[in-house]
Amino acid sequence: MTADLKVDQHYDLIIIGTGSGNSIPGPEFDDLSIAIVEKGTFGGTCLNVGCIPTKMFVHAADTALATRQAGRLGLSAQTYHVDWPGVVSRVFDQRIDLIAEGGEAYRRGPETPNIDVYDQHASFVGERTIRTGEHVISGDRVIIAAGSRPMIPEAITESGVHFHTNEDIMRLPQQPQSIIIVGGGFIAMEFAHVFDALGTKVHIISRSALMRLIDADLGSRINDLAVKRYDVRVGRTVADAVQSHDGITVTLDDGGSITADVLLVATGRIPNGDQMDLDRGGIEMTDDGRVSVDEYGRSTSAEGVWALGDVSSPFMLKHVANAEMRAVRHNLLHPDDLQKMPHEHIPSAVFTNPQIATVGLTEREARTAGHNITVKIQKYGDVAYGWAMEDTTGIVKLIADKDTGKLLGAHYLGPQASTLIQQMITVMAFDLDVREVATKQYWIHPALPEVTENALLGLEF
Ligand SMILES: Cc1cc2nc3c(=O)[nH]c(=O)nc-3n(C[C@H](O)[C@H](O)[C@H](O)COP(=O)(O)OP(=O)(O)OC[C@H]3O[C@@H](n4cnc5c(N)ncnc54)[C@H](O)[C@@H]3O)c2cc1C
Ligand SMILES: NC(=O)c1ccc[n+]([C@@H]2O[C@H](COP(=O)([O-])OP(=O)(O)OC[C@H]3O[C@@H](n4cnc5c(N)ncnc54)[C@H](O)[C@@H]3O)[C@@H](O)[C@H]2O)c1
């Protein structure tokens, strides 16, 4: 396949993508020649346009919203001014961009002399052979860690209007007065909170209910809360869009229309394998567009090729990409002692307001799986710290197996959900019996985890 190709350089290892892929080469790899190929900004999605900058915006938004809601605590407070360019500069100029630049300089510099960096798009031209810009390089082993990109509905691309995604919305030069967000999942919910809390009028258009895959008891509350803050159009999609003096006017599939300053598209993400001529490398894809790997991260069709993270994983989350990276790194170093990709009890959190966090099965999934279940929904407002916060909407929902005492699912909607859930992640990871978890440890009084304690005590066996 590669016989008639002139290969400029051969490496022991090629890594495509510097998100989680960049964490593979540690000291154990110092005696290997390594090529890292990154066509975009060093550090990938999470660092540059994903998890980290969004949460830096969310923290500012949480502060602004807490100020807006301070009246319920008997305080009179107000956010007088949002210095949007200042927020953007704090996030990017003072933090993110420095980290990305430092990461690239480190890989290009004298500390990692065994590593060459290529900065052009990589595509396969043969078995474990890649073209990147003018170079053709080959490797004994290749790791595809090329991530994913935003999926844009055809009606929007065809309309020709200027739209934003997570890749540029956080670098807008000025805060918009109004924004249309298309999508009702993780990204839409986080940005809707950010913009609304900072004073932008938010319109959401979502084909499905907001957070469609969440447990139904949380889902109904999330959707009820959202309509109080945003103009929400669920069950709708975009039929057309036009640019005008006033901004962008989107026509919905029911004939309605919305005009706003800017348009943000957050309708899901596509793994990037489809842009890499994988077939020329003999690399199979799954029906839903991911690089096909076995439970150890090896390509199911191409010897010596591995994949990890969004490009191959069923879970598009950074902690999963990192965990898969650790498994693949171990497997490269210990071919006789392979570790499985850790895909059990994967938690996630959405940093909207109120926060959402979930691990394990929803009630419906637990019932469908045939478990004999016990369920408890505990309100934040029924524990002391919930009173302190005057919380009226937060809940914890726990689902356990009545026969075994094991936790099947934990779902939080409310302040600090992403932190509170960590105890339930531990319970599932270590397969603890919830009856003991409730009673055989101290719970600090009157701290917020008492909401979890009460939920556990409320499970009936
Ligand atoms: C707005 C947003 C917020 C998010 N927030 C969270 C969160 O709070 N928590 C969480 O767990 N997850 C979050 N995620 C998901 C998380 O960012 C991803 O799951 C994670 O970054 C995937 O890592 P990766 O290494 O697989 O891919 P990436 O980090 O995307 O890295 C892939 C790299 O490969 C490069 N590349 C792609 N194709 C090629 C090619 N052909 N040649 C050369 N280089 C190539 C890309 O430029 C990119 O730098 C968020 C995602 C988004 C978009
Ligand atoms: N905090 C986090 O962990 C975090 C944050 C952001 C993103 N992520 C990851 O990134 C992934 C992608 O996020 P996302 O929000 O883009 O996708 P998503 O899959 O979470 O949600 C997509 C939403 O877009 C809607 N939609 C799809 N096509 C549409 C159309 N044509 N018109 C109107 N609505 C449409 C869907 O109904 C759904 O509500 C997430 O699934 C998650 O894995 C994680």
Side-chain angles (χ1 to χ4, degrees), residues 184-186 189 208-224 347-350 352 354-365 395 397 399 410-414 417 421:
F186 282 59
M189 294 306 292
S208 64
L210 306 178
M211 295 305 302
R212 67 198 192 286
L213 302 177
I214 203 93
D215 182 276
D217 281 308
L218 278 79
S220 58
R221 287 168 170 80
I222 291 164
N223 280 271
D224 289 350
S348 64
V350 190
T352 182
Q355 287 189 359
I356 303 161
T358 173
V359 61
L361 303 179
T362 63
E363 181 175 345
R364 179 181 296 167
E365 287 166 346
I395 58 162
K397 178 171 179 179
I399 302 148
H411 310 279
Y412 288 71
L413 172 70
I421 200 170

Side-chain angles (χ1 to χ4, degrees), residues 65-83:
L65 189 64
T67 308
R68 195 195 290 172
Q69 296 173 342
R72 68 185 178 198
L73 304 180
L75 307 174
S76 168
Q78 196 180 336
T79 299
Y80 289 101
H81 173 64
V82 175
D83 173 13

Side-chain angles (χ1 to χ4, degrees), residues 119-388:
D119 58 12
Q120 300 294 311
H121 181 90
S123 52
F124 283 82
V125 290
E127 280 173 24
R128 296 193 302 277
T129 307
I130 283 153
R131 184 183 300 284
T132 165
E134 300 188 335
H135 305 279
V136 175
I137 57 174
S138 59
D140 289 344
R141 292 179 287 184
V142 177
I143 300 172
I144 305 171
S148 61
R149 64 185 185 279
M151 196 275 285
I152 313 297
E154 237 176 70
I156 295 176
T157 42
E158 283 179 0
S159 73
V161 296
H162 184 63
F163 63 88
H164 298 274
T165 67
N166 66 290
E167 297 186 356
D168 57 0
I169 192 73
M170 290 178 278
R171 290 184 188 257
L172 287 177
Q174 299 299 332
Q175 183 184 352
Q177 285 186 2
S178 55
I179 186 169
I180 299 169
I181 302 178
V182 187
F186 282 59
I187 296 177
M189 294 306 292
E190 290 184 352
F191 280 120
H193 163 51
V194 165
F195 280 103
D196 170 79
L198 297 181
T200 296
K201 168 77 187 163
V202 173
H203 306 266
I204 298 177
I205 303 169
S206 177
R207 205 168 50 185
S208 64
L210 306 178
M211 295 305 302
R212 67 198 192 286
L213 302 177
I214 203 93
D215 182 276
D217 281 308
L218 278 79
S220 58
R221 287 168 170 80
I222 291 164
N223 280 271
D224 289 350
L225 287 170
V227 295
K228 294 187 181 143
R229 266 182 92 184
Y230 322 120
D231 166 31
V232 183
R233 317 286 179 99
V234 296
R236 298 272 66 88
T237 186
V238 174
D240 197 8
V242 289
Q243 199 102 33
S244 67
H245 286 313
D246 302 333
I248 290 177
T249 300
V250 167
T251 308
L252 309 185
D253 57 349
D254 64 354
S257 69
I258 308 172
T259 300
D261 290 350
V262 293
L263 172 63
L264 170 65
V265 183
T267 46
R269 294 178 64 81
I270 310 174
N272 282 329
D274 62 339
Q275 300 182 327
M276 302 177 74
D277 292 335
L278 294 177
D279 50 334
R280 297 184 70 183
I283 301 159
E284 273 177 359
M285 290 173 76
T286 60
D287 291 343
D288 58 353
R290 293 173 288 121
V291 173
S292 172
V293 290
D294 68 9
E295 57 191 349
Y296 303 110
R298 296 176 296 199
S299 159
T300 50
S301 57
E303 178 87 34
V305 175
W306 301 70
L308 61 89
D310 282 12
V311 78
S312 53
S313 181
F315 308 96
M316 287 186 170
L317 294 165
K318 181 61 174 176
H319 40 273
V320 178
N322 281 344
E324 293 187 354
M325 177 277 297
R326 287 191 291 272
V328 168
R329 185 175 58 193
H330 171 94
N331 294 343
L332 291 171
L333 293 167
H334 306 96
D336 298 326
D337 172 32
L338 295 180
Q339 276 182 6
K340 291 186 182 168
M341 300 293 229
H343 282 172
E344 270 190 74
H345 311 316
I346 293 180
S348 64
V350 190
F351 294 75
T352 182
N353 195 299
Q355 287 189 359
I356 303 161
T358 173
V359 61
L361 303 179
T362 63
E363 181 175 345
R364 179 181 296 167
E365 287 166 346
R367 287 190 193 284
T368 307
H371 291 283
N372 176 22
I373 62 172
T374 168
V375 177
K376 173 68 184 175
I377 296 178
Q378 179 70 47
K379 291 182 185 158
Y380 278 54
D382 287 342
V383 300
Y385 210 84
W387 307 339

